[in-house]
Amino acid sequence: MEEGFRFADAIGPAKMVYIHQPAAGLRAIVAIDNIAAGPAIGGTRMALDVTAEECFRLARAMTFKNAAAGLPHGGAKAVIFADPAMPAADKERLIRAFARAICDLAEYIPGPDMGTDESAMAWIKDEIGRAVGLPAVVGGIPLDQIGATGFGLAVAAEIASAAAGLALKGARVAVQGFGAVGQHTARFMAERGAILVAASDTRGAITDPDGLDIEKLRALKAVGGSVTDLGGGRKAAPEDVVAADCDILVPAARPDVIHMANVEAIKARLVLQGANIPATLDAERRLAEKGILSVPDFIANAGGVIAASVEYHGGSARSVFEEIADKIGRNTRAVLERMRAGGVLPREAAVELARARVERAMALRRFHD
Ligand code: NAD
């Protein structure tokens, strides 16, 4: 097979576009995986060390995430090969050059990702009229400010805790990574009666079986402090949160933090995956064997991309919460049902659900078998 087609399977990628404009110092790849459900939404990343294969795999993850969320959008990803820490004026020039280069690639709608932010999306929209994750002044819905992803995780928690034999009211929650996702998850779960008993950031962890003050922790983080600056509670190492004495564990920091070397220590009965791929596949299997329910990332943390879709279709911040509650509620139930009916792992059930939606959308396109 030709080199450029080495990732191809029945779903995609529909296009792998290589952009090379030496005069602008621009080198980029756009992987548009599948557009059967609609134009593809996916992040534009600025980094030096991403391969074409990784770019494609990230695009495929977006195809499944958007399909699982029931959005009328396919999946894509773009990488601009550059150092995101470059001077601001150079970065703006490069991102604007990238935007003009993808002008005719109408089936790709860029969103923010590592190394890009809402201002970068505003520059892209300014050049070509499309992008999501925009600043509020140009019609954006500030998803990290309103806590779109954390709200969705709390919705998933409500449904999954019942399936795990837990009541969310009174459930003890440990959050690894007290950033945008972690803080809002803690806040929205507390609104439903849960108690935050452990939280961590890169500098350490803090635990208190009687409950931590979420607003005080958020205030510390807002001024650049650490959760460990909170008076009271017991301090611990950041990685100790995985083994915290709790009912629900929310990894909301980095990939692969739950692995075969620490999975046995997990005491929670429910793991809600806030971060992307926070557990290795063998650790996920082990969690299931131990009777611990783990709600996969692209089901539980889809709040952000649902908010991006609402923004793209002209909806309001208020309608974001309704959409997230509806979509994540339905999808969490559907995954749990499939899991039980098929005797499969939660991730397998989630991929089956997403793949079936992509295939149904593909069957409605003009060219198919
Ligand atoms: P963030 O940078 O706001 O927060 C991350 C937090 O994790 C920080 O407080 C950091 O100190 C902490 N952290 C990093 N490494 C840690 C470690 N080893 N132990 C403990 N804490 C650690 O990022 P975010 O937007 O909250 O995203 C968190 C994760 O969720 C990422 O994997 C991201 O890809 C994923 N995600 C985010 C969104 C969103 O809407 N922001 C949506 C879907 C998925």
Side-chain angles (χ1 to χ4, degrees), residues 45 65 114 143-144 147-150 175-183 199-204 221 227 238-239 241 251-255 257 273-277 297 301-305:
R45 182 169 291 195
K65 189 169 193 161
M114 287 158 62
L143 59 98
D144 277 342
T149 302
V175 173
Q176 185 198 40
F178 210 65
V181 173
Q183 291 179 33
S200 69
D201 55 30
T202 43
R203 283 183 262 169
K221 295 299 292 178
V227 292
E239 58 277 10
V241 164
R254 303 194 57 81
V257 291
Q273 300 191 352
N276 293 321
I277 45 169
D297 43 14
N301 75 14
V305 77

Side-chain angles (χ1 to χ4, degrees), residues 139-199:
I141 297 174
L143 59 98
D144 277 342
Q145 217 171 302
I146 65 172
T149 302
F151 177 75
L153 279 152
V155 171
E158 190 119 48
I159 293 154
S161 53
L166 285 167
L168 190 51
K169 191 166 166 40
R172 296 163 309 145
V173 181
V175 173
Q176 185 198 40
F178 210 65
V181 173
Q183 291 179 33
H184 288 293
T185 305
R187 183 168 76 80
F188 285 117
M189 285 176 78
E191 277 180 11
R192 290 162 169 76
I195 303 158
L196 181 71
V197 294

Side-chain angles (χ1 to χ4, degrees), residues 21-351:
Q21 291 182 2
L26 175 66
R27 276 197 326 128
I29 297 183
V30 185
I32 299 174
D33 183 42
N34 189 289
I35 51 162
I41 290 185
T44 293
R45 182 169 291 195
M46 185 178 279
L48 287 162
D49 58 350
V50 183
T51 63
E53 178 165 6
E54 260 177 279
C55 184
F56 156 67
R57 284 175 52 215
L58 292 163
R60 173 60 51 86
M62 288 309 298
T63 300
F64 284 156
K65 189 169 193 161
N66 294 344
L71 301 176
H73 293 289
K77 201 83 178 184
V79 179
I80 301 171
F81 295 99
D83 179 358
M86 70 172 66
D90 294 347
K91 191 165 178 174
E92 178 171 349
R93 254 193 307 277
L94 192 61
I95 286 173
R96 285 183 182 276
F98 168 76
R100 287 190 299 278
I102 62 162
C103 183
D104 294 332
L105 223 49
E107 63 271 55
Y108 174 49
I109 304 163
D113 201 280
M114 287 158 62
T116 62
D117 59 8
E118 58 177 36
S119 300
M121 294 309 114
W123 301 329
I124 295 177
K125 174 115 194 268
D126 184 38
E127 294 292 335
I128 63 172
R130 61 177 201 278
V132 290
L134 297 161
V137 283
V138 286
I141 297 174
L143 59 98
D144 277 342
Q145 217 171 302
I146 65 172
T149 302
F151 177 75
L153 279 152
V155 171
E158 190 119 48
I159 293 154
S161 53
L166 285 167
L168 190 51
K169 191 166 166 40
R172 296 163 309 145
V173 181
V175 173
Q176 185 198 40
F178 210 65
V181 173
Q183 291 179 33
H184 288 293
T185 305
R187 183 168 76 80
F188 285 117
M189 285 176 78
E191 277 180 11
R192 290 162 169 76
I195 303 158
L196 181 71
V197 294
S200 69
D201 55 30
T202 43
R203 283 183 262 169
I206 185 96
T207 66
D208 189 339
D210 296 328
L212 295 162
D213 186 327
I214 296 170
E215 288 314 313
K216 270 195 190 151
L217 287 175
R218 293 189 67 206
L220 287 170
K221 295 299 292 178
V223 294
S226 163
V227 292
T228 56
D229 298 336
L230 187 79
R234 192 177 64 81
K235 289 193 177 69
E239 58 277 10
D240 290 353
V241 164
V242 171
D245 202 1
C246 66
D247 302 305
I248 303 175
L249 173 63
V250 185
R254 303 194 57 81
D256 295 340
V257 291
I258 299 174
H259 44 74
M260 289 311 272
N262 65 8
V263 67
E264 300 304 335
I266 292 178
K267 300 187 187 73
R269 282 156 68 188
L270 172 64
V271 176
L272 275 177
Q273 300 191 352
N276 293 321
I277 45 169
T280 61
L281 287 181
D282 46 2
E284 276 190 352
R285 193 167 293 283
R286 186 67 196 126
L287 285 173
E289 284 166 7
K290 281 163 59 84
I292 299 171
L293 177 61
S294 167
V295 186
D297 43 14
F298 68 90
I299 297 296
N301 75 14
V305 77
I306 295 171
S309 171
V310 169
E311 176 189 299
Y312 182 73
H313 295 280
S316 65
R318 191 163 341 119
S319 60
V320 160
F321 290 108
E322 280 166 26
E323 281 289 310
I324 293 174
D326 176 53
K327 288 191 180 339
I328 294 194
R330 263 190 294 143
N331 291 327
T332 307
R333 276 189 208 96
V335 165
L336 293 173
E337 272 160 31
R338 248 172 208 267
M339 205 183 96
R340 276 193 220 105
V344 292
L345 293 175
R347 182 166 297 275
E348 288 163 351
V351 170

